[in-house]
Amino acid sequence: MNRFIMAVVAGIVATGVAQAEVTEDDIANDQTITTQVVTNGMGRHLQRYSPLDMLNKDNVKNLVPAWAFSLGGEKQRGQETQPLVHDGIMYVTGSYSRLYAIDVKTGDEIWQYDARLPEGILPCCDVINRGAALYGDKVYFGTLDARIVALNAKTGDVVWRDKIADYKAGYSYTAAPLIVDGLVITGNSGGEFGIVGEVQARDAETGDIVWTRPVIEGHMGTLNGEPSTMTGELNASWPSDMWKTGGGATWLGGSYDADTDTLVFGAGNPAPWNSWLRNAGQKNDGSGDNLYAASRIGIDPKTGEIKWHFQTTPREGWDFDGVNEVVAYTDRDGNKRFATADRNGFFYVLNREDGAFVSATPFVKEISWAEGIDDTGRPIYNEDNRPGDPSAAADGGKGETIFAVPSFLGGKNWMPMAFSQKTGDFYVPSNEWGMDIWNEPVTYKKGAAYLGSGFTIKPLFEDHIGALKAIDPDKGEIKWEYHNEAPLWGGVMTTGGGLVFFGTPEGKFIALDDETGEELWSFQTGSGIVGQPITWEMDGEQYVSVASGWGGAVPLWGGEVASKVNYLNQGGMIWTFKLPKALAMAN
């Protein structure tokens, strides 16, 4: 069997009381319905902002633990999940493709589902999962063997499951699915294995595929089981048949902008990393851009057709994936914008109607690979800071090593930023690091790493790597920053009470003043926080939850940085805090 039910302890199951279903309206209004959190990102725009202000700068010092839930067993790897809350139940995913239903009042387990993964899975960056999705009477999540599973939200029983792609070829799945108008929309993972990034839409009730959209040019999409259109133009920006294993994994999932009825997904690095094999090292005329890797892509949710794209790193050669979340917001002048903080170290603002470039600002220090971004949004390359061509080496082996900033783990990696409707600013978890990087010969082999590069990550500064930064998107200014010794690897949340919540690898869950960056409250959770916080109200009190459990890519890929944080303990807990009514008015 591929699942088991661990316990049935909640009255909702024991008594057979009907559970309210999650509707499209619930999802569309998730930010303003403060008694629930039914979307990853606390709204499909991914702002991660709650208007709740019962908890504020004056009383956050009174925030206390309400309950804690252990994810159990020996599976204490990185816990990057964001909980969901609906109708008295919290749904939370754990490492190794597990999903739990928890009584939100008591912290008692209702049921647990374990995907029972096969041998031979190939996750690149820890056995993590970033969250689930709710719709109707079902809860959906993806598994490390590249499957999507629909469970009965009340019982945990499997309703349907479907294969996204072949895990033996290097595919996996770690992101939270996205629900739009009855469709379950997913990406894929596996960019280090020469896979092809794709977005898929399924009927939420049956699991039947409605459309597919590969994100590497030359590949065909489908609609209702029939071929639809080709992505891009064959060989317009890829040499020979390199596009067939071109990477571009859509591994972080996507957002949805209701105003323009547009899905926005990011595509990861082109494959292999060695840019000289893809003409990216030689060509700056578009023929080596390797579309649509390292891009943000606007997609029609009904048909899967591409509406627009914006490529953050054409000619990519440093593993600067373009997957980081795209957040829809309205600026101070009333303009509808998208914002995204890229791995390449630049914070971009785009027009929401067509994805057109508006502005770009460096948000980390000492960027070396580019001198800046031109008026069209294209990088102004520092060609001397591209890893060398191995074929130019005397022995045809290792190319010239260069030191590049930021490192391939990025000025910002997967960890989601937050936007505050109260301040109009973004709060971006960033890291200040660089890398020695060099290229090597490589050939594609199914299921094997397809890099053609070597690397060692190094910190830039003695006193910190992590830096949470408040960014004014209109002016392109950093208003304040909060330094942390270890890299930041978890998500951020803002509230109407003027608070910014985030966690650190050292285990601290922290609340800052959104205007000054002053630390107002913290709690030691016992393990590094790489999860995504949420807040909601219940019985007149405001609650905050976050997953604690150190792991993710840094301990696995972090080079010299990994050795600096090897003392950190793993764990696996869901911590839930509340502001008691009696203390809500206390200063």
Side-chain angles (χ1 to χ4, degrees), residues 38-324:
V38 297
T39 59
N40 187 273
M42 299 168 61
R44 290 181 295 198
H45 44 43
L46 307 187
Q47 290 185 359
R48 298 185 182 273
Y49 169 81
S50 170
L52 284 172
D53 59 4
M54 288 181 276
L55 184 64
N56 56 52
K57 298 176 186 180
D58 293 326
N59 60 26
V60 67
K61 64 186 178 184
N62 299 318
L63 191 64
V64 295
W67 53 261
F69 178 85
S70 172
L71 298 177
E74 298 178 359
K75 297 180 177 181
Q76 295 183 341
R77 298 287 288 273
Q79 309 297 343
E80 294 186 359
T81 188
Q82 182 214 286
L84 302 176
V85 173
H86 183 255
D87 199 28
I89 300 177
M90 177 181 287
Y91 300 90
V92 61
T93 60
S95 55
Y96 290 100
S97 304
R98 296 170 293 161
L99 177 61
Y100 303 80
I102 305 167
D103 186 312
V104 79
K105 290 190 176 182
T106 65
D108 292 332
E109 182 176 294
I110 299 171
W111 54 257
Q112 176 184 340
Y113 171 87
D114 190 323
R116 298 287 179 90
L117 299 166
E119 296 292 330
I121 59 171
L122 296 166
C124 86
C125 307
D126 206 358
V127 288
I128 58 90
N129 188 284
R130 297 188 175 98
L134 291 168
Y135 182 67
D137 61 354
K138 301 176 186 62
V139 56
Y140 307 83
F141 86 122
T143 61
L144 288 167
D145 57 346
R147 292 181 177 271
I148 177 75
V149 183
L151 307 176
N152 181 292
K154 181 178 176 180
T155 66
D157 291 323
V158 174
V159 179
W160 58 259
R161 65 164 65 88
D162 198 25
K163 178 180 176 181
I164 295 172
D166 180 8
Y167 74 88
K168 294 179 181 179
Y171 288 91
S172 57
Y173 189 73
T174 56
L178 177 64
I179 307 290
V180 177
D181 290 330
L183 297 178
V184 182
I185 301 163
T186 58
N188 60 25
S189 302
E192 274 59 64
F193 295 94
I195 60 87
V196 174
E198 187 173 72
V199 181
Q200 300 178 351
R202 287 174 171 78
D203 183 296
E205 187 63 28
T206 66
D208 295 336
I209 289 183
V210 176
W211 56 257
T212 65
R213 174 52 55 191
V215 300
I216 297 298
E217 71 179 19
H219 294 270
M220 291 293 296
T222 66
L223 179 62
N224 297 322
E226 300 292 333
S228 56
T229 57
M230 179 181 289
T231 298
E233 179 183 348
L234 182 63
N235 288 132
S237 64
W238 288 84
S240 63
D241 62 354
M242 296 290 291
W243 58 275
K244 292 182 179 179
T245 53
T250 49
W251 59 265
L252 197 51
S255 58
Y256 174 67
D257 177 38
D259 289 340
T260 61
D261 191 27
T262 304
L263 302 170
V264 186
F265 272 71
N269 60 281
W273 288 22
N274 182 345
S275 63
W276 300 92
L277 296 176
R278 299 180 269 102
N279 276 354
Q282 305 93 314
K283 303 287 188 178
N284 195 19
D285 58 4
S287 64
D289 284 359
N290 307 143
L291 291 170
Y292 293 99
S295 299
R296 309 307 196 274
I297 305 167
I299 299 174
D300 186 322
K302 297 178 180 62
T303 66
E305 292 298 315
I306 293 176
K307 292 183 171 186
W308 54 259
H309 80 279
F310 178 80
Q311 192 172 35
T312 43
T313 315
R315 306 175 60 213
E316 199 284 313
W318 304 265
D319 192 36
F320 292 154
D321 290 42
V323 298
N324 285 359

